Amino acid sequence: MIKVYLGLTFSGPVLPAPPADAVGERYLDYLGLLKYLEGFYALGHSGTNRDALRVEQYRQAVEGHLEGAPGVPFYAAAFAADKLATAEELLSRRDELLEAGYPLAKSAEENTPPRITVLHELEDLVLDPTNDYSLLPGPPDRLNRLLAALTERRHPELTVLVHEPRHLLPSGLRRLLDRLESGGDTVDQLPEPAAATGPSDLNRWQRKLRLLLTGQTDPTPGELSGDGSLVILRAERETHLAAYLARMVRDNADWRPGVLMTERNQTLDTALLMEGLPSMGIPSTSLARPSLQVLKLVPAFLWEPVEVERIMEFVSLVTKPLDRRLAQKIAVHLADTPGLFGARWVYTVEQTFREMTERNYPAKRIRRAREQYDFWFRRRRYPRDGRAPKAEVRSLFVFLRNWALEAYDEDNEQTGLLVLSAQAERATELLDAQPETELTYLEVERLVRTIYQPAPTQFSPAEQGGLLTSFAPASTAQLQGSGQPALKRLIWWDFVETDPTYFFSRYYPPELEFLRRHDCEPQSPEQRNELLTWQNLRPLLHTREQLILCLPQRVDGTEMEPHALMGDLEAASTDAALRKITVNIDLAGQPTGLLSGLALPQFAEVPIRALDLPRAHVTIGKPAALRPREEETPTAMDDLLYYPHKWVFRHLLELRGTPILSIASENRLRGNLSHLFIEQLLAEIKKAGRSYSRTEVVQWIGENADRLLRQQGAVLLEYGQEPERVQFIRTMRKSAWTLVSYIQDNRWSIEGSELEITGKIGNQAVKGRADLVLRRTGTDGRPEAAVVDLKWRGKTTFSTIIKNGWDVQLALYADFLSEQGIARIHTAYYLLRDAKMLSRNELAFEGAEVVPVADDYTVVQREMLAKICATHDWRWKQFAAGTVEVRCAETAGALDDAYLALDHDSLLEMKTDTSPFDDYQSLIGLIR
């Protein structure tokens, strides 16, 4: 005889653990019992998850029914909105009725309610052999086949001990138990635990809770003594609770409570491991696995316009079907230039392959990286508002499945790859089952969501001596006759609300009445709620000596509500009584007598030591290490002159922060894009060798906007970005024509954009690229040049720079051009968003917005260059003395005091604020 302990949650571990040497005993849930019995009747069922495939098969039947229905079925509107979700709901109703014993395969009676009649008609379509529709068997189909086979009595004699009240079981399980019982097997109900009679706080609450099972109430709040049998641990975060409990387990060798963990997470297990304790072996289930993230991102490669954010997510994943080095380079490129297949993109990709070759990467790896790149990025794309061939969609998941299996062979510890492979395979099965040859964007996304499921991962196995765990309240019980030890102590981890809520019945009252007349009664919401209450009471009623309820205010940063039973405890006890059994860990208090006999964690005050304030100067032990670089850029020179610590950190020591792999900010994106538009427009005008009219400029912008946006601003082509895209192009039309007008109306010819200019400051070589260089012959016949720095916005900022003589880069470019024999060099800033030219005068650009200064521009340039040279020499004298200035808002006053004896008139005017682009604020003490 086989003894079966039957519980709806017995698919997982039972607490207390049954004896390991028990023979002839099984702990099974509903599906486990079904599978166990199927084995005796040759009714084997594949363990592979085919739920998504069944939904797709039923969707096709629903579609066929909708086409042939004489009227409008009740599901028509929902089906038009979401076909798979509607099919899934209809299939669940069909399964529910079959499980409850309703004969859907028979023709509907005349008085059958309309919605149930529709299910009859759908069943006829599925069962009709002349149709192409098919439906894989689900649990209800398997149940009905088993019930028909049980008359043969091939299975051994069973004694089934039922944990939950029989009237609360699913209707299909009740039918199975009735059939087993009528066939000669024994089916008994396990008794309730013995009533508590002791005086402890836990026993008092248990007596109150028993009233919930009988429907009685006791409105009188009771007193609690705080004897430690019932304890509430409160904290702001679950990590605080975990650290406290782990220390208690470590410091009390004989204190080994069981743990009820209704939501599987690693927090408590991690805390135990950090204390050197054995692991509980908690399997964590999450959709955030890198190996699963790739599943929802691969469809992004099918469509255009390209979804840059999703491509960025793809290449930034830890686990992905793309070479790691190549993906990193692409991610850095996209962060700065969010577009594909421009000149910079092609250079980035090909340079990466050249570097891989130069570094002697294995030829197999380079070849595979090239194949992966070509598969994802060099594929044909389809308009997002159109359709993609099913074969193209299928190829994505086939590639993904094969890659996952190969990657798992190389690293067997990445078990998530096996789950990814299985889900990719389900996606291909789902596609193969669909009769459609083309799919829309929404259909592909819906398909991915259908098969996208969390991947369980066990980071460490359960170790000997670890705390025993259960994952369901109903699995936390001492079953009579099982040989389990008593459940003496229990920690209910995360005693917060996680239970589902059932709001309404799926059937109208006339439908329920009709089903009852046919001996079919689906489980009602009242039964589900009663079952939930019964299950939640198991750990409370079965614990004998000590129950600890862990109540964090937040879990994973999310505000949590206390468990529903907390309300019962509050109603059963006075406020003073609750305070006696509550320990608030965050208050660092010691419970008085509450946990007597246990060594409790001791809290110690940690003094707060504020970080040092920024120092005006840093002393270098080896000043000889500060040497001039072979070549500087104007940007680096600006750092050297105004913020020497930035020059040392960034340009000399080359301290670079890890690039934040996210798309560039809005202003930076528009600045880069506008530069690209202007650069290519001016190159076209220069090539044409003639003036452009406003119509031609606007036409060029319109003809090239789409191409340029794809290459460097694809985010503006995405869904929902049309207003921003239209506004940007309108701005560029106005700004480009205004700039071209400034050039043409003032007789300038275009020398070049992004033009390389070189020169020297003393012995220091400097090389940079000027945004725009113009040339013309003056009225006196002497050559003139203009250097224009293109900026997206910042009228106030750049007006201040001109006024204070801080435009170092433009001054350097002017000096370097003057060495080429050009008599007059003008400088200006052009603000692209505002279509405004800022300069010191209108000599170069009539109509420009003038920032008035006291001296002539030639005097300003000459004085600025002298100050630049003097400041450059002064900075290197500081370096030679082993001193590096740290300039920010907090050190400006101290620096002014330190430089009282300096000849300030010969140097550039120093800035008193913190650099807006200082990546080293934590190093100099600004962030503390």
Side-chain angles (χ1 to χ4, degrees):
M1 176 181 292
I2 301 297
K3 183 186 291 187
V4 174
Y5 290 94
L6 178 64
L8 296 179
T9 61
F10 284 1
S11 59
V14 178
L15 186 69
D21 57 354
V23 178
E25 293 183 358
R26 290 180 175 270
Y27 292 79
L28 301 174
D29 64 348
Y30 177 13
L31 291 180
L33 178 61
L34 185 63
K35 183 178 180 181
Y36 175 70
L37 290 172
E38 283 177 330
F40 295 103
Y41 296 91
L43 298 175
H45 176 73
S46 171
T48 307
N49 187 341
R50 291 289 184 268
D51 292 342
L53 187 55
R54 292 186 75 230
V55 171
E56 169 55 28
Q57 290 175 329
Y58 208 67
R59 178 197 68 82
Q60 296 174 27
V62 174
E63 195 133 30
H65 177 266
L66 185 60
E67 292 175 0
V72 180
F74 74 94
Y75 61 78
F79 192 72
D82 192 331
K83 295 181 178 181
L84 283 174
T86 305
E88 185 175 10
E89 172 63 21
L90 291 173
L91 179 59
S92 70
R93 296 188 182 210
R94 175 255 185 200
D95 287 348
E96 185 178 34
L97 293 183
L98 283 181
E99 182 184 35
Y102 181 75
L104 271 179
K106 295 181 179 180
S107 299
E109 300 174 1
E110 186 175 347
N111 63 340
T112 304
R115 299 199 304 172
I116 297 179
T117 299
V118 167
L119 295 177
H120 274 281
E121 294 168 354
L122 285 167
E123 194 70 11
D124 290 340
L125 280 176
V126 170
L127 297 178
D128 188 349
T130 63
N131 289 328
D132 292 332
Y133 305 122
S134 61
L135 184 64
L136 291 172
D141 305 287
R142 295 165 55 196
L143 172 66
N144 288 327
R145 288 190 306 182
L146 178 62
L147 292 176
L150 282 178
T151 55
E152 301 177 17
R153 294 294 302 175
R154 297 184 192 173
H155 64 271
E157 185 178 352
L158 300 178
T159 295
V160 182
L161 302 175
V162 184
H163 186 36
E164 287 84 1
R166 195 157 169 176
H167 72 282
L168 298 180
L169 296 175
S171 52
L173 182 53
R174 295 201 305 269
R175 291 174 62 209
L176 177 57
L177 294 177
D178 291 342
R179 183 65 58 86
L180 290 173
E181 200 169 30
S182 64
D185 295 308
T186 302
V187 179
D188 290 329
Q189 183 73 49
L190 286 168
E192 287 286 324
T197 58
S200 71
D201 292 343
L202 177 59
N203 293 155
R204 292 175 186 176
W205 191 33
Q206 287 172 337
R207 288 192 286 273
K208 291 268 190 181
L209 290 174
R210 278 187 174 275
L211 298 178
L212 290 177
L213 297 175
T214 61
Q216 300 174 339
T217 57
D218 181 3
T220 307
E223 291 297 328
L224 299 173
S225 62
D227 59 8
S229 61
L230 180 61
V231 179
I232 301 172
L233 291 183
R234 287 184 176 271
E236 173 70 20
R237 301 182 182 279
E238 81 280 12
T239 51
H240 302 175
L241 291 169
Y244 190 87
L245 288 171
R247 186 62 61 89
M248 286 180 65
V249 174
R250 190 199 71 175
D251 294 343
N252 298 275
D254 297 330
W255 190 70
R256 290 296 180 267
V259 178
L260 168 58
M261 189 174 293
T262 54
E263 291 291 321
R264 307 184 189 195
N265 60 63
Q266 298 293 306
T267 307
L268 180 57
D269 202 24
T270 301
L272 292 170
L273 289 171
M274 291 180 67
E275 295 291 350
L277 297 167
S279 171
M280 297 188 294
I282 305 298
S284 177
T285 301
S286 173
L287 281 171
R289 302 268 178 266
S291 55
L292 286 186
Q293 291 294 304
V294 67
L295 188 71
K296 68 176 184 178
L297 295 175
V298 293
F301 291 93
L302 277 173
W303 310 102
E304 58 178 8
V306 173
E307 296 178 270
V308 180
E309 286 89 352
R310 295 180 72 182
I311 302 296
M312 172 66 90
E313 282 187 64
F314 177 87
V315 297
S316 301
L317 288 174
V318 176
T319 306
K320 53 189 169 291
L322 186 66
D323 182 81
R324 179 188 58 80
R325 181 176 180 81
L326 176 60
Q328 175 72 13
K329 295 288 187 180
I330 291 176
V332 172
H333 170 84
L334 289 176
D336 184 59
T337 310
L340 277 63
F341 310 122
R344 287 187 58 195
W345 169 279
V346 174
Y347 174 80
T348 298
V349 172
E350 295 304 323
Q351 179 64 19
T352 303
F353 282 116
R354 283 193 292 270
E355 290 175 357
M356 292 170 72
T357 303
E358 292 169 359
R359 297 185 181 192
N360 297 320
Y361 280 39
K364 180 181 178 182
R365 177 178 173 181
I366 298 176
R367 183 174 64 255
R368 182 168 60 180
R370 176 69 74 176
E371 290 172 353
Q372 291 172 341
Y373 171 78
D374 290 342
F375 179 83
W376 295 115
F377 292 98
R378 289 296 181 185
R379 64 169 37 255
R380 181 180 175 185
R381 290 177 170 79
Y382 302 88
R384 182 168 169 169
D385 56 357
R387 291 176 172 270
K390 185 171 71 173
E392 287 288 316
V393 182
R394 189 180 188 278
S395 69
L396 294 178
F397 295 107
V398 170
F399 187 94
L400 192 59
R401 176 183 179 276
N402 294 336
W403 167 81
L405 292 176
E406 292 176 3
Y408 177 74
D409 289 340
E410 295 174 1
D411 185 359
N412 293 336
E413 293 185 0
Q414 296 194 53
T415 55
L417 291 171
L418 292 179
V419 180
L420 173 62
S421 172
Q423 294 192 11
E425 184 175 5
R426 281 205 291 277
T428 58
E429 290 177 347
L430 207 57
L431 288 166
D432 291 340
Q434 293 180 346
E436 294 86 356
T437 59
E438 294 182 322
L439 299 174
T440 65
Y441 175 87
L442 291 178
E443 287 171 341
V444 174
E445 292 297 315
R446 189 65 180 84
L447 178 143
V448 172
R449 281 196 326 206
T450 301
I451 53 99
Y452 188 51
Q453 295 179 352
T457 298
Q458 192 158 5
F459 293 100
S460 60
E463 298 173 340
Q464 185 174 3
L467 300 183
L468 299 179
T469 312
S470 71
F471 303 118
S475 298
T476 311
Q478 183 186 13
L479 310 178
Q480 190 178 70
S482 65
Q484 294 170 280
L487 181 59
K488 293 183 178 181
R489 301 178 184 87
L490 178 69
I491 296 172
W492 191 325
W493 176 251
D494 281 0
F495 188 61
V496 294
E497 186 61 65
T498 58
D499 295 327
T501 303
Y502 300 93
F503 293 99
F504 54 85
S505 172
R506 303 171 80 177
Y507 302 96
Y508 300 138
E511 294 173 334
L512 289 172
E513 182 60 33
F514 172 82
L515 293 173
R516 290 191 192 101
R517 291 200 304 268
H518 289 76
D519 298 323
C520 171
E521 192 166 352
Q523 196 174 27
S524 67
E526 292 79 14
Q527 288 175 307
R528 294 175 189 269
N529 285 324
E530 185 180 350
L531 174 63
L532 195 59
T533 300
W534 186 92
Q535 291 175 327
N536 282 333
L537 289 176
R538 295 309 93 193
L540 307 181
L541 297 179
H542 282 268
T543 305
R544 294 299 171 212
E545 296 180 5
Q546 186 180 57
L547 176 64
I548 297 178
L549 306 174
C550 298
L551 189 55
Q553 187 173 339
R554 297 176 183 275
V555 174
D556 294 332
T558 303
E559 192 90 19
M560 303 302 292
E561 293 292 331
H563 195 281
L565 289 173
M566 187 63 195
D568 294 296
L569 178 58
E570 291 171 342
S573 310
T574 63
D575 291 343
L578 286 174
R579 285 194 292 271
K580 290 181 182 179
I581 65 170
T582 301
V583 178
N584 193 322
I585 293 174
D586 293 332
L587 299 181
Q590 289 293 322
T592 305
L594 187 57
L595 295 170
S596 58
L598 293 177
L600 301 180
Q602 301 295 315
F603 292 90
E605 290 190 9
V606 177
I608 298 176
R609 178 185 177 277
L611 295 177
D612 295 335
L613 297 175
R615 289 185 292 171
H617 293 96
V618 175
T619 301
I620 305 298
K622 296 181 179 180
L626 298 176
R627 297 178 179 178
R629 298 193 303 165
E630 182 178 343
E631 197 172 63
E632 293 288 356
T633 65
T635 303
M637 285 295 294
D638 194 84
D639 287 338
L640 174 63
L641 300 175
Y642 289 110
Y643 298 100
H645 72 278
K646 281 181 61 179
W647 181 85
V648 171
F649 290 147
R650 175 175 295 170
H651 304 289
L652 189 65
L653 300 181
E654 297 183 351
L655 298 181
R656 307 282 181 179
T658 301
I660 299 175
L661 300 182
S662 58
I663 304 303
S665 64
E666 179 180 342
N667 287 319
R668 184 179 175 187
L669 170 64
R670 282 158 173 72
N672 291 342
L673 270 176
S674 58
H675 271 69
L676 181 65
F677 273 74
I678 296 300
E679 178 185 349
Q680 296 203 7
L681 171 63
L682 296 182
E684 192 73 20
I685 294 175
K686 180 181 179 181
K687 181 180 178 181
R690 61 178 179 83
S691 297
Y692 263 44
S693 66
R694 179 175 190 146
T695 302
E696 289 176 304
V697 170
V698 170
Q699 181 180 354
W700 188 94
I701 295 288
E703 290 176 350
N704 292 274
D706 189 67
R707 173 180 62 85
L708 297 177
L709 289 175
R710 288 176 188 277
Q711 292 179 359
Q712 293 201 18
V715 290
L716 291 178
L717 294 172
E718 293 180 5
Y719 180 77
Q721 291 292 318
E722 184 175 359
E724 288 77 8
R725 181 172 67 253
V726 170
Q727 180 61 40
F728 176 76
I729 293 175
R730 184 182 295 130
T731 299
M732 287 310 304
R733 287 171 180 163
K734 176 184 177 183
S735 182
W737 170 242
T738 303
L739 179 59
V740 170
S741 297
Y742 274 125
I743 295 172
Q744 295 178 165
D745 294 348
N746 291 280
R747 301 180 296 103
W748 290 106
S749 61
I750 301 168
E751 177 74 11
S753 54
E754 291 296 319
L755 189 67
E756 186 176 291
I757 301 177
T758 59
K760 283 190 174 184
I761 296 296
N763 295 322
Q764 177 65 62
V766 180
K767 181 170 71 174
R769 288 183 177 274
D771 287 344
L772 177 60
V773 178
L774 307 172
R775 285 182 183 262
R776 74 180 180 187
T777 301
T779 55
D780 58 358
R782 300 172 67 188
E784 296 184 21
V787 182
V788 182
D789 199 352
L790 304 178
K791 302 294 182 182
W792 173 245
R793 62 170 191 169
K795 179 180 176 182
T796 302
T797 300
F798 293 105
S799 295
T800 302
I801 287 175
I802 292 175
K803 184 177 181 180
N804 293 336
W806 290 339
D807 47 340
V808 170
Q809 294 188 38
L810 291 178
L812 290 175
Y813 288 142
D815 179 62
F816 298 161
L817 289 174
S818 67
E819 295 175 1
Q820 300 177 13
I822 301 175
R824 289 184 289 271
I825 298 98
H826 307 272
T827 59
Y829 289 105
Y830 184 69
L831 306 181
L832 292 156
R833 190 187 69 175
D834 304 320
K836 290 185 180 298
M837 188 76 76
L838 298 179
S839 64
R840 291 185 173 87
N841 52 54
E842 293 186 73
L843 295 176
F845 302 103
E846 186 178 349
E849 190 161 321
V850 175
V851 179
V853 292
D855 298 318
D856 181 73
Y857 78 99
T858 56
V859 175
V860 171
Q861 288 180 357
R862 187 167 55 252
E863 291 181 351
M864 274 192 67
L865 184 62
K867 290 181 178 181
I868 289 172
C869 293
T871 305
H872 177 266
D873 294 341
W874 172 55
R875 290 302 187 196
W876 277 104
K877 287 180 182 178
Q878 287 184 309
F879 291 162
T883 300
V884 176
E885 178 189 297
V886 177
R887 180 168 291 276
C888 61
E890 295 194 20
T891 61
L895 290 171
D896 289 343
D897 294 341
Y899 297 150
L900 289 176
L902 278 179
D903 180 11
H904 292 281
D905 291 338
S906 64
L907 302 174
L908 290 170
E909 181 184 352
M910 292 294 108
K911 299 177 181 180
T912 58
D913 55 351
T914 301
S915 171
F917 304 106
D918 192 343
D919 297 329
Y920 310 99
Q921 294 188 16
S922 59
L923 291 179
I924 65 176
L926 274 181
I927 298 178
R928 55 186 184 275

